[in-house]
Amino acid sequence: MPIVVDIDVMLAKRKMSVGELADRIGITPANLAVLKNGRAKAVRFTTLSALCTVLDCQPGDLLRWEPEPAEDPEPAATQPGR
């Protein structure tokens, strides 16, 4: 997925545990882990706002877009005699 979640980076900068962050934003540690590990399909704006409030950051500090690598084209068929 081209959206990368950097919650772990902000947690390290703030010297905060996943459990503490989950408690402070009001979600379960399991749900925070799903979001933190990039397995979430969506994030509520209220959750994003709570994350930014507690971590004192901007949404762009937590989420970034990286293009997916382009697929390699199939190798050209070799011509006989070359």
Side-chain angles (χ1 to χ4, degrees):
M1 177 178 241
I3 301 297
V4 178
V5 181
D6 287 328
I7 292 174
D8 52 347
V9 174
M10 291 305 297
L11 283 170
K13 287 182 180 179
R14 302 298 188 253
K15 296 180 171 73
M16 187 182 297
S17 70
V18 173
E20 180 183 352
L21 179 59
D23 285 343
R24 292 181 64 182
I25 65 171
I27 66 173
T28 66
N31 283 340
L32 181 56
V34 168
L35 179 58
K36 183 175 85 65
N37 295 324
R39 294 189 316 262
K41 298 293 182 196
V43 60
R44 293 177 187 263
F45 283 130
T46 54
T47 302
L48 184 58
S49 179
L51 285 165
C52 290
T53 299
V54 171
L55 294 171
D56 189 28
C57 65
Q58 294 294 312
D61 296 325
L62 302 174
L63 304 171
R64 62 188 160 88
W65 178 79
E66 285 189 359
E68 292 186 11
E71 291 186 27
D72 292 332
E74 291 188 32
T78 57
Q79 295 179 3
R82 286 202 170 184

